[in-house]
Amino acid sequence: MMNNCKAIKIAENIFWVGVIDWNLRNFHGYETSRGSTYNAYLILDEKITLIDTAKIDFKDELLARISSIVDPAKIDLIISSHVEPDHSGSLGEIAALAKDAEIITTNPNGLKGLTARYGNLNYKPVKAGDKISIGKRTLQFVPTPMLHWPDSMVTYCPEEKILFSNDAFGEHFATSMRFDDENDLNTILSEAKKYYANILMPFGKQAQTALKALGDLEIKMIATGHGVIWRKNISTIIDCYKKWSSGEVEERACVVFDSMWHSTEILAQTITEAFAAKKIPATYYDLKFTPLSDIVTDIFTSKYLIVGSPTINNQMMPTVAKFLNYLKGLRPQNHKGFAFGSYGWSGQSIAQVEDELKAAGIEIILDKIRITNIPSHEQLEEISKNILELEL
């Protein structure tokens, strides 16, 4: 397929040659309402160097951007920051064109992962502290294991003071404008928080370790694996990562539920208003209407999580079970909450929700609220009173 996409210069002889996935709406269950980009970078030096590739579906766009600057066959080095196919998916196609290119990856996990996916190519594994001269520039490699795969690494160019940061500091955000200062900052930071909450939340300690490893570097640009390139608000996004990786939470509550005949919904409304009356901002999420990834983004920095479900076939609602399973995998820190729900005759769901909250690491601060059929005015008043009297 013919493709006339062009590379975009981000520094002298350094180009963005990535792709824009305008239509991406789901990334492993994370709903990406604004699409994404798969960023790759080309450095022209004595050794022509490509940092990362893109999903195989977008190889034509990637190759078109590279070809607008140089014949892909002339690439000498390919830096593979991360085995996941949104970054490495076109590696085989690039390697087939650049037959003599060395492929830099981490040792041992990057080497194992790339070999398993793409076979025996011309790999050169590197470890922490390794450097490669590509001519006027040097590339330094900093492994960042479990941020968010075992093989992950970032690459730093001291001469340009550019950090090629792979998945760190990025967003799933499709935009035709490459830099942070060319886009709305609040939108970018919102998407960066959503990205961290839904992908990197379980790896806060690893993020802190990576931040320490990068702390002594002078950084004038962060060339991310997804979303915008940071050149103006670098300290802002780094400070956000310091806060997010610390597990710091705010005095906020999220009330998350599904309901069959509105009774659990009435309980959710009462609980939301009781927190508001306690001067704790609360957000109300009906799982029928709000994507899990948006809810999780709010939960991420909210101290209180209250989850409700009616009972169906002796179980919680499937939407609630899906939400709690998604949340448990993200291992939220420093959260407190409780379970609630209305039921017709058995009511097992509320205890099940409480058990899942505990399994997700949520500290239970109020005994589960179980109401048969339609809650009475007196029951709702009692619920409000109990929440108002909670010492939080």
Coordinates of all heavy atoms in Angstrom, one line a residue, residues 301-390:
T301 N -6.1 7.6 42.7 CA -5.6 8.6 43.7 C -6.7 9.0 44.7 O -6.6 10.0 45.4 CB -5.2 9.9 43.0 OG1 -6.1 10.3 42.0 CG2 -3.8 9.7 42.2
S302 N -7.8 8.2 44.8 CA -8.8 8.4 45.8 C -8.7 7.4 46.9 O -8.5 6.2 46.7 CB -10.2 8.2 45.1 OG -10.4 9.2 44.1
K303 N -8.8 7.9 48.2 CA -8.5 7.1 49.3 C -9.6 6.0 49.5 O -9.3 4.9 50.0 CB -8.4 7.9 50.6 CG -8.0 7.1 51.9 CD -8.0 8.0 53.1 CE -6.7 8.9 53.1 NZ -6.6 9.6 54.4
Y304 N -10.8 6.3 49.2 CA -12.0 5.5 49.6 C -12.6 4.9 48.3 O -12.8 5.5 47.3 CB -13.0 6.3 50.4 CG -12.4 7.0 51.5 CD1 -12.2 8.4 51.5 CD2 -12.0 6.3 52.7 CE1 -11.6 9.0 52.6 CE2 -11.4 6.9 53.7 CZ -11.2 8.3 53.7 OH -10.6 8.9 54.7
L305 N -12.9 3.6 48.4 CA -13.5 2.8 47.3 C -14.7 2.0 47.9 O -14.4 1.1 48.7 CB -12.5 1.9 46.6 CG -13.1 0.9 45.6 CD1 -13.8 1.7 44.5 CD2 -12.0 0.0 45.0
I306 N -15.9 2.3 47.5 CA -17.1 1.7 48.0 C -17.7 1.0 46.8 O -18.0 1.6 45.8 CB -18.1 2.7 48.5 CG1 -17.4 3.9 49.3 CG2 -19.1 2.0 49.4 CD1 -16.4 3.5 50.3
V307 N -17.9 -0.3 46.9 CA -18.4 -1.1 45.8 C -19.7 -1.9 46.1 O -19.8 -2.5 47.2 CB -17.3 -2.1 45.3 CG1 -17.8 -2.9 44.1 CG2 -16.0 -1.4 45.0
G308 N -20.7 -1.8 45.2 CA -22.0 -2.4 45.5 C -22.4 -3.3 44.4 O -22.1 -3.1 43.2
S309 N -23.2 -4.3 44.7 CA -23.8 -5.2 43.8 C -25.0 -5.9 44.3 O -25.0 -6.3 45.5 CB -22.8 -6.3 43.3 OG -23.4 -7.3 42.4
P310 N -26.1 -6.1 43.5 CA -27.1 -7.0 43.9 C -26.7 -8.4 43.7 O -25.5 -8.7 43.3 CB -28.2 -6.6 42.9 CG -27.5 -6.1 41.7 CD -26.3 -5.4 42.2
T311 N -27.5 -9.4 44.0 CA -27.2 -10.8 43.8 C -28.0 -11.4 42.7 O -29.2 -11.2 42.6 CB -27.5 -11.6 45.1 OG1 -26.8 -11.0 46.2 CG2 -27.2 -13.0 45.0
I312 N -27.3 -12.1 41.8 CA -27.9 -12.8 40.7 C -27.3 -14.2 40.6 O -26.1 -14.4 40.6 CB -27.7 -12.0 39.4 CG1 -28.4 -12.8 38.2 CG2 -26.3 -11.8 39.0 CD1 -28.5 -12.0 36.9
N313 N -28.2 -15.2 40.7 CA -27.7 -16.6 40.7 C -26.7 -16.9 41.8 O -25.6 -17.5 41.5 CB -27.2 -17.0 39.3 CG -28.3 -16.8 38.2 OD1 -29.4 -17.1 38.5 ND2 -27.8 -16.5 37.0
N314 N -26.9 -16.3 42.9 CA -26.0 -16.5 44.1 C -24.6 -15.8 43.9 O -23.7 -16.2 44.6 CB -25.8 -18.0 44.4 CG -27.1 -18.7 44.7 OD1 -28.0 -18.1 45.4 ND2 -27.3 -19.9 44.3
Q315 N -24.5 -15.0 42.9 CA -23.2 -14.3 42.7 C -23.4 -12.8 42.6 O -24.6 -12.3 42.4 CB -22.7 -14.8 41.3 CG -22.4 -16.3 41.3 CD -21.3 -16.8 42.2 OE1 -20.3 -16.1 42.3 NE2 -21.5 -17.9 42.8
M316 N -22.3 -12.1 42.6 CA -22.4 -10.6 42.2 C -22.7 -10.5 40.8 O -22.5 -11.4 40.0 CB -21.1 -10.0 42.7 CG -19.9 -10.3 41.8 SD -18.3 -9.5 42.4 CE -17.8 -10.7 43.6
M317 N -23.0 -9.3 40.4 CA -23.3 -9.0 39.0 C -22.0 -9.2 38.2 O -20.9 -8.9 38.6 CB -23.8 -7.5 38.8 CG -25.2 -7.3 39.3 SD -26.4 -7.9 38.2 CE -26.4 -6.6 37.0
P318 N -22.1 -9.7 36.9 CA -20.9 -10.0 36.1 C -20.1 -8.7 35.9 O -18.9 -8.7 35.9 CB -21.5 -10.5 34.8 CG -22.8 -11.1 35.2 CD -23.3 -10.3 36.3
T319 N -20.8 -7.5 35.8 CA -20.0 -6.3 35.6 C -19.2 -5.9 36.8 O -18.0 -5.4 36.7 CB -21.0 -5.1 35.3 OG1 -22.0 -5.2 36.3 CG2 -21.6 -5.2 34.0
V320 N -19.7 -6.2 38.0 CA -19.0 -5.9 39.2 C -17.8 -6.9 39.4 O -16.7 -6.5 39.7 CB -19.9 -6.0 40.4 CG1 -19.1 -5.7 41.7 CG2 -21.1 -5.0 40.3
A321 N -18.0 -8.2 39.0 CA -17.0 -9.2 39.1 C -15.8 -8.8 38.1 O -14.6 -8.9 38.5 CB -17.5 -10.6 38.7
K322 N -16.2 -8.4 36.9 CA -15.2 -7.9 36.0 C -14.4 -6.7 36.5 O -13.1 -6.7 36.4 CB -15.9 -7.6 34.6 CG -14.9 -7.1 33.5 CD -15.7 -6.7 32.3 CE -14.7 -6.2 31.2 NZ -15.5 -5.8 30.0
F323 N -15.1 -5.8 37.0 CA -14.4 -4.6 37.6 C -13.4 -5.0 38.7 O -12.3 -4.6 38.7 CB -15.4 -3.6 38.1 CG -14.9 -2.6 39.1 CD1 -14.0 -1.6 38.7 CD2 -15.2 -2.7 40.5 CE1 -13.5 -0.7 39.6 CE2 -14.7 -1.8 41.4 CZ -13.8 -0.8 40.9
L324 N -13.9 -5.8 39.6 CA -13.0 -6.2 40.8 C -11.8 -7.1 40.3 O -10.7 -6.9 40.9 CB -13.8 -6.9 41.8 CG -14.8 -6.1 42.6 CD1 -15.8 -6.9 43.4 CD2 -14.1 -5.1 43.5
N325 N -12.0 -7.9 39.3 CA -10.9 -8.7 38.8 C -9.9 -7.7 38.1 O -8.7 -7.9 38.3 CB -11.4 -9.7 37.7 CG -10.3 -10.5 37.2 OD1 -9.8 -11.4 37.9 ND2 -10.0 -10.4 35.9
Y326 N -10.4 -6.7 37.4 CA -9.5 -5.8 36.7 C -8.7 -5.0 37.8 O -7.5 -4.8 37.7 CB -10.3 -4.8 35.9 CG -9.6 -3.9 35.0 CD1 -9.1 -4.2 33.8 CD2 -9.4 -2.5 35.4 CE1 -8.4 -3.4 32.9 CE2 -8.7 -1.6 34.6 CZ -8.2 -2.0 33.4 OH -7.5 -1.2 32.6
L327 N -9.4 -4.6 38.8 CA -8.8 -3.8 39.9 C -7.8 -4.6 40.6 O -6.7 -4.1 40.9 CB -9.9 -3.3 40.9 CG -9.4 -2.4 42.0 CD1 -9.0 -1.1 41.6 CD2 -10.4 -2.4 43.1
K328 N -8.1 -5.8 40.9 CA -7.2 -6.7 41.7 C -5.8 -6.8 41.0 O -4.8 -6.8 41.7 CB -7.8 -8.0 42.0 CG -7.1 -8.9 43.0 CD -8.0 -10.0 43.5 CE -8.5 -10.9 42.4 NZ -9.3 -12.0 42.9
G329 N -5.8 -7.0 39.7 CA -4.6 -7.1 39.0 C -3.7 -5.8 39.0 O -2.5 -5.9 38.9
L330 N -4.3 -4.7 39.3 CA -3.6 -3.4 39.4 C -3.0 -3.1 40.7 O -2.2 -2.2 40.9 CB -4.5 -2.3 38.9 CG -4.9 -2.3 37.4 CD1 -5.9 -1.3 37.1 CD2 -3.6 -2.0 36.5
R331 N -3.4 -3.9 41.7 CA -2.9 -3.9 43.1 C -2.8 -2.4 43.6 O -1.7 -1.9 43.9 CB -1.5 -4.5 43.1 CG -1.4 -5.9 42.7 CD -0.2 -6.7 43.1 NE 1.0 -6.1 42.6 CZ 1.6 -6.4 41.4 NH1 1.0 -7.3 40.6 NH2 2.7 -5.9 41.1
P332 N -4.0 -1.8 43.8 CA -4.0 -0.4 44.4 C -3.4 -0.4 45.8 O -3.5 -1.3 46.5 CB -5.5 -0.1 44.3 CG -6.2 -1.4 44.4 CD -5.3 -2.3 43.6
Q333 N -2.8 0.8 46.1 CA -2.2 1.0 47.4 C -3.0 2.0 48.2 O -3.5 3.0 47.7 CB -0.8 1.5 47.3 CG 0.2 0.5 46.5 CD 1.5 1.1 46.4 OE1 2.1 1.6 47.4 NE2 2.1 1.2 45.2
N334 N -3.0 1.8 49.6 CA -3.4 2.8 50.5 C -4.9 3.2 50.4 O -5.3 4.3 50.6 CB -2.5 4.1 50.4 CG -1.1 3.7 50.6 OD1 -0.7 2.9 51.4 ND2 -0.2 4.4 49.9
H335 N -5.7 2.2 50.1 CA -7.1 2.5 49.9 C -8.0 1.8 51.0 O -7.6 0.8 51.6 CB -7.6 1.9 48.5 CG -7.1 2.7 47.4 ND1 -5.8 2.6 47.0 CD2 -7.7 3.5 46.5 CE1 -5.6 3.4 45.9 NE2 -6.7 4.0 45.6
K336 N -9.1 2.5 51.3 CA -10.0 2.0 52.3 C -11.4 1.9 51.7 O -11.7 2.7 50.8 CB -10.0 2.9 53.5 CG -8.7 3.0 54.2 CD -8.7 4.0 55.4 CE -7.4 4.1 56.0 NZ -7.4 4.9 57.2
G337 N -12.3 1.0 52.2 CA -13.6 1.0 51.7 C -14.5 0.0 52.3 O -14.2 -0.6 53.4
F338 N -15.6 -0.3 51.6 CA -16.6 -1.3 52.1 C -17.5 -1.7 51.0 O -17.5 -1.1 49.9 CB -17.4 -0.8 53.3 CG -18.1 0.4 53.1 CD1 -19.5 0.4 52.6 CD2 -17.6 1.7 53.4 CE1 -20.2 1.5 52.5 CE2 -18.3 2.8 53.3 CZ -19.6 2.8 52.8
A339 N -18.3 -2.8 51.2 CA -19.2 -3.3 50.2 C -20.6 -3.1 50.6 O -21.0 -2.9 51.8 CB -19.0 -4.8 50.1
F340 N -21.5 -3.0 49.6 CA -22.9 -2.8 49.9 C -23.7 -3.4 48.8 O -23.2 -3.8 47.7 CB -23.3 -1.3 49.9 CG -23.1 -0.6 48.6 CD1 -24.2 -0.3 47.8 CD2 -21.9 0.0 48.2 CE1 -24.1 0.3 46.6 CE2 -21.8 0.6 47.0 CZ -22.9 0.8 46.2
G341 N -25.0 -3.6 49.0 CA -25.9 -4.1 48.0 C -27.3 -4.5 48.5 O -27.5 -4.7 49.7
S342 N -28.2 -4.5 47.6 CA -29.6 -4.9 47.9 C -29.8 -6.3 47.3 O -29.1 -6.7 46.3 CB -30.6 -4.0 47.3 OG -31.9 -4.5 47.4
Y343 N -30.7 -7.1 47.8 CA -30.9 -8.5 47.3 C -32.3 -8.9 47.6 O -33.0 -8.3 48.4 CB -29.9 -9.5 48.0 CG -30.1 -9.6 49.5 CD1 -30.8 -10.7 50.0 CD2 -29.5 -8.7 50.3 CE1 -31.0 -10.8 51.3 CE2 -29.7 -8.9 51.7 CZ -30.4 -9.9 52.2 OH -30.6 -10.1 53.6
G344 N -32.7 -10.0 46.8 CA -34.1 -10.4 47.0 C -34.3 -11.5 48.0 O -35.1 -11.4 48.9
W345 N -33.5 -12.6 48.0 CA -33.7 -13.7 48.9 C -32.4 -14.3 49.4 O -32.4 -14.9 50.5 CB -34.6 -14.8 48.4 CG -34.0 -15.4 47.1 CD1 -33.2 -16.5 47.0 CD2 -34.3 -15.0 45.8 NE1 -32.9 -16.8 45.7 CE2 -33.6 -15.9 44.9 CE3 -35.1 -14.0 45.2 CZ2 -33.7 -15.8 43.5 CZ3 -35.2 -13.9 43.8 CH2 -34.5 -14.8 43.0
S346 N -31.2 -14.2 48.7 CA -30.0 -14.9 49.2 C -28.9 -13.9 49.6 O -28.4 -14.0 50.7 CB -29.5 -15.8 48.1 OG -29.3 -15.1 46.9
G347 N -28.5 -13.0 48.8 CA -27.6 -11.9 49.2 C -26.2 -12.3 49.3 O -25.4 -11.6 50.0
Q348 N -25.7 -13.3 48.6 CA -24.3 -13.7 48.8 C -23.3 -12.7 48.2 O -22.2 -12.6 48.6 CB -24.0 -15.1 48.1 CG -24.7 -16.2 48.7 CD -26.0 -16.6 48.0 OE1 -26.7 -15.7 47.5 NE2 -26.4 -17.8 48.0
S349 N -23.8 -11.9 47.3 CA -22.9 -11.0 46.5 C -22.2 -10.0 47.4 O -21.0 -9.7 47.1 CB -23.7 -10.2 45.4 OG -24.7 -9.3 46.0
I350 N -22.8 -9.5 48.4 CA -22.2 -8.4 49.2 C -20.9 -8.9 49.9 O -19.9 -8.3 49.9 CB -23.2 -7.8 50.2 CG1 -24.4 -7.2 49.4 CG2 -22.5 -6.6 50.9 CD1 -25.6 -8.1 49.3
A351 N -21.0 -10.1 50.5 CA -19.9 -10.7 51.1 C -18.8 -11.0 50.1 O -17.6 -10.9 50.3 CB -20.3 -12.0 51.9
Q352 N -19.2 -11.5 48.9 CA -18.2 -11.7 47.8 C -17.5 -10.5 47.4 O -16.3 -10.5 47.2 CB -19.0 -12.3 46.6 CG -19.6 -13.7 46.8 CD -20.5 -14.1 45.7 OE1 -20.7 -13.4 44.8 NE2 -21.1 -15.3 45.9
V353 N -18.2 -9.4 47.3 CA -17.6 -8.1 47.0 C -16.6 -7.7 48.1 O -15.5 -7.3 47.8 CB -18.7 -7.0 46.8 CG1 -18.0 -5.6 46.7 CG2 -19.5 -7.2 45.6
E354 N -17.0 -7.9 49.3 CA -16.1 -7.5 50.4 C -14.8 -8.4 50.4 O -13.7 -7.9 50.5 CB -16.8 -7.7 51.8 CG -15.9 -7.3 53.0 CD -16.6 -7.5 54.3 OE1 -17.3 -6.5 54.7 OE2 -16.4 -8.6 54.9
D355 N -15.0 -9.7 50.1 CA -13.8 -10.6 50.0 C -12.9 -10.1 48.8 O -11.6 -10.2 49.0 CB -14.3 -12.0 49.7 CG -14.9 -12.7 51.0 OD1 -14.7 -12.1 52.1 OD2 -15.6 -13.7 50.8
E356 N -13.5 -9.7 47.7 CA -12.6 -9.3 46.6 C -11.9 -8.0 46.9 O -10.8 -7.7 46.5 CB -13.5 -9.2 45.3 CG -13.9 -10.5 44.7 CD -12.7 -11.3 44.3 OE1 -12.1 -10.9 43.3 OE2 -12.4 -12.3 44.9
L357 N -12.6 -7.1 47.6 CA -12.0 -5.8 48.0 C -10.7 -6.1 48.9 O -9.7 -5.6 48.8 CB -12.9 -4.9 48.8 CG -14.0 -4.3 47.9 CD1 -15.0 -3.6 48.8 CD2 -13.4 -3.3 47.0
K358 N -10.9 -7.1 49.9 CA -9.8 -7.5 50.7 C -8.7 -8.1 49.9 O -7.5 -7.8 50.1 CB -10.3 -8.5 51.8 CG -11.2 -7.9 52.8 CD -11.7 -9.0 53.8 CE -12.6 -8.5 54.8 NZ -13.1 -9.7 55.7
A359 N -9.0 -8.9 48.9 CA -8.0 -9.5 48.1 C -7.3 -8.5 47.2 O -6.1 -8.7 46.9 CB -8.7 -10.6 47.1
A360 N -7.9 -7.4 46.9 CA -7.3 -6.3 46.2 C -6.4 -5.4 47.1 O -5.8 -4.4 46.6 CB -8.3 -5.5 45.4
G361 N -6.4 -5.7 48.4 CA -5.7 -4.9 49.3 C -6.4 -3.7 49.9 O -5.8 -2.8 50.5
I362 N -7.7 -3.6 49.8 CA -8.5 -2.5 50.3 C -8.8 -2.8 51.8 O -9.3 -3.9 52.2 CB -9.8 -2.4 49.6 CG1 -9.6 -2.4 48.0 CG2 -10.6 -1.1 50.0 CD1 -8.8 -1.2 47.5
E363 N -8.5 -1.8 52.7 CA -8.8 -1.9 54.1 C -10.3 -1.7 54.3 O -10.8 -0.7 53.9 CB -8.0 -0.9 54.9 CG -8.3 -1.0 56.4 CD -7.6 0.2 57.1 OE1 -6.6 0.8 56.6 OE2 -8.0 0.5 58.2
I364 N -11.0 -2.7 54.9 CA -12.4 -2.5 55.2 C -12.7 -1.7 56.4 O -12.2 -1.9 57.5 CB -13.1 -3.9 55.4 CG1 -12.8 -4.8 54.1 CG2 -14.6 -3.8 55.6 CD1 -13.3 -4.2 52.8
I365 N -13.4 -0.6 56.2 CA -13.7 0.4 57.3 C -15.1 0.4 57.8 O -15.4 1.1 58.8 CB -13.2 1.8 56.9 CG1 -14.0 2.2 55.6 CG2 -11.7 1.9 56.7 CD1 -13.8 3.7 55.2
L366 N -16.0 -0.4 57.2 CA -17.4 -0.4 57.6 C -17.9 -1.8 57.2 O -17.7 -2.2 56.1 CB -18.2 0.7 56.9 CG -19.6 0.9 57.4 CD1 -19.7 1.4 58.8 CD2 -20.4 1.9 56.5
D367 N -18.7 -2.4 58.1 CA -19.2 -3.7 57.8 C -20.1 -3.6 56.6 O -20.8 -2.6 56.4 CB -20.0 -4.2 59.0 CG -20.4 -5.7 58.9 OD1 -19.7 -6.4 58.2 OD2 -21.5 -6.1 59.4
K368 N -20.2 -4.6 55.8 CA -20.9 -4.6 54.6 C -22.4 -4.3 54.8 O -23.0 -4.7 55.8 CB -20.8 -6.0 53.9 CG -21.1 -7.2 54.8 CD -20.7 -8.5 54.1 CE -20.8 -9.7 55.1 NZ -19.8 -9.5 56.2
I369 N -22.9 -3.5 53.9 CA -24.3 -3.1 54.0 C -25.2 -4.0 53.1 O -25.0 -4.1 51.9 CB -24.5 -1.6 53.5 CG1 -23.7 -0.7 54.4 CG2 -25.9 -1.2 53.4 CD1 -23.5 0.7 53.9
R370 N -26.1 -4.7 53.8 CA -27.0 -5.7 53.1 C -28.4 -5.3 53.3 O -28.9 -5.3 54.5 CB -26.7 -7.1 53.6 CG -25.3 -7.6 53.4 CD -25.0 -9.0 54.0 NE -25.6 -10.1 53.2 CZ -26.7 -10.8 53.6 NH1 -27.3 -10.5 54.8 NH2 -27.1 -11.8 52.8
I371 N -29.1 -4.9 52.3 CA -30.5 -4.5 52.4 C -31.4 -5.4 51.5 O -31.1 -5.6 50.4 CB -30.7 -3.0 51.9 CG1 -29.8 -2.1 52.7 CG2 -32.1 -2.6 52.0 CD1 -30.2 -2.0 54.2
T372 N -32.5 -5.9 52.1 CA -33.4 -6.8 51.4 C -34.4 -5.9 50.6 O -35.0 -5.0 51.1 CB -34.2 -7.7 52.4 OG1 -33.3 -8.4 53.2 CG2 -35.0 -8.7 51.6
N373 N -34.5 -6.3 49.3 CA -35.4 -5.6 48.4 C -35.2 -4.1 48.4 O -34.1 -3.6 48.2 CB -36.9 -6.0 48.9 CG -37.1 -7.5 48.7 OD1 -36.9 -8.0 47.6 ND2 -37.6 -8.1 49.7
I374 N -36.2 -3.3 48.6 CA -36.1 -1.8 48.5 C -35.8 -1.2 49.8 O -36.4 -1.5 50.8 CB -37.5 -1.3 48.0 CG1 -37.9 -1.9 46.6 CG2 -37.4 0.3 47.9 CD1 -39.2 -1.5 46.2
P375 N -34.7 -0.4 49.9 CA -34.3 0.2 51.2 C -35.4 1.2 51.6 O -35.9 2.0 50.8 CB -33.0 0.9 50.8 CG -33.0 1.1 49.3 CD -33.8 0.0 48.8
S376 N -35.6 1.1 52.9 CA -36.6 2.1 53.5 C -35.9 3.4 53.8 O -34.7 3.5 53.8 CB -37.2 1.5 54.8 OG -36.2 1.4 55.8
H377 N -36.7 4.4 54.0 CA -36.2 5.7 54.4 C -35.3 5.6 55.7 O -34.3 6.2 55.8 CB -37.3 6.7 54.6 CG -36.9 8.1 55.1 ND1 -36.2 9.0 54.3 CD2 -36.9 8.6 56.4 CE1 -35.9 10.0 55.0 NE2 -36.3 9.9 56.3
E378 N -35.8 4.8 56.6 CA -35.1 4.6 57.9 C -33.7 3.9 57.7 O -32.7 4.3 58.3 CB -35.9 3.8 58.9 CG -37.2 4.5 59.4 CD -38.3 4.6 58.4 OE1 -38.3 3.8 57.4 OE2 -39.2 5.5 58.5
Q379 N -33.7 3.0 56.8 CA -32.5 2.3 56.5 C -31.5 3.2 55.8 O -30.3 3.2 56.1 CB -32.7 1.1 55.6 CG -33.4 -0.1 56.3 CD -33.8 -1.2 55.4 OE1 -34.3 -0.9 54.3 NE2 -33.6 -2.4 55.8
L380 N -31.9 4.0 54.9 CA -31.1 5.0 54.2 C -30.5 6.0 55.2 O -29.3 6.4 55.2 CB -31.8 5.7 53.1 CG -32.3 4.8 51.9 CD1 -33.1 5.6 50.9 CD2 -31.1 4.1 51.3
E381 N -31.4 6.5 56.1 CA -30.9 7.4 57.2 C -29.8 6.8 58.0 O -28.9 7.4 58.4 CB -32.1 7.8 58.0 CG -33.1 8.8 57.3 CD -32.4 10.2 57.1 OE1 -31.7 10.7 58.1 OE2 -32.6 10.8 56.1
E382 N -30.0 5.5 58.4 CA -29.0 4.8 59.2 C -27.7 4.7 58.5 O -26.6 4.8 59.1 CB -29.6 3.4 59.6 CG -28.7 2.6 60.4 CD -28.5 3.1 61.9 OE1 -29.4 4.0 62.3 OE2 -27.6 2.7 62.6
I383 N -27.8 4.4 57.2 CA -26.5 4.3 56.4 C -25.8 5.6 56.4 O -24.6 5.7 56.6 CB -26.8 3.9 54.9 CG1 -27.3 2.4 54.9 CG2 -25.6 4.0 54.0 CD1 -27.9 2.0 53.6
S384 N -26.5 6.7 56.1 CA -25.9 8.0 56.1 C -25.3 8.3 57.5 O -24.2 8.9 57.6 CB -27.0 9.1 55.8 OG -27.5 8.9 54.5
K385 N -26.0 8.0 58.6 CA -25.5 8.3 59.9 C -24.2 7.5 60.2 O -23.3 8.1 60.7 CB -26.6 7.9 60.9 CG -26.2 8.0 62.4 CD -27.4 7.7 63.3 CE -27.0 7.7 64.8 NZ -26.1 6.6 65.1
N386 N -24.2 6.2 59.8 CA -23.0 5.4 60.0 C -21.8 6.0 59.3 O -20.7 5.9 59.8 CB -23.3 4.0 59.6 CG -24.2 3.3 60.5 OD1 -24.4 3.7 61.7 ND2 -24.8 2.2 60.1
I387 N -22.0 6.5 58.1 CA -20.9 7.0 57.3 C -20.4 8.3 57.9 O -19.2 8.6 58.0 CB -21.3 7.2 55.8 CG1 -21.5 5.8 55.2 CG2 -20.2 8.0 55.0 CD1 -22.0 5.8 53.8
L388 N -21.4 9.2 58.3 CA -21.0 10.5 58.9 C -20.2 10.3 60.2 O -19.4 11.1 60.5 CB -22.3 11.3 59.1 CG -22.9 11.9 57.9 CD1 -24.3 12.4 58.2 CD2 -22.0 13.1 57.4
E389 N -20.5 9.2 60.9 CA -19.9 8.9 62.2 C -18.5 8.2 62.0 O -17.8 8.0 63.0 CB -20.8 8.1 63.1 CG -22.0 8.9 63.6 CD -22.9 8.1 64.4 OE1 -22.7 6.9 64.5 OE2 -23.9 8.7 65.0
L390 N -18.2 7.8 60.8 CA -16.9 7.1 60.6 C -15.8 8.0 60.9 O -15.7 9.2 60.5 CB -16.8 6.6 59.1 CG -17.3 5.3 58.7 CD1 -17.2 5.1 57.2 CD2 -16.6 4.2 59.5

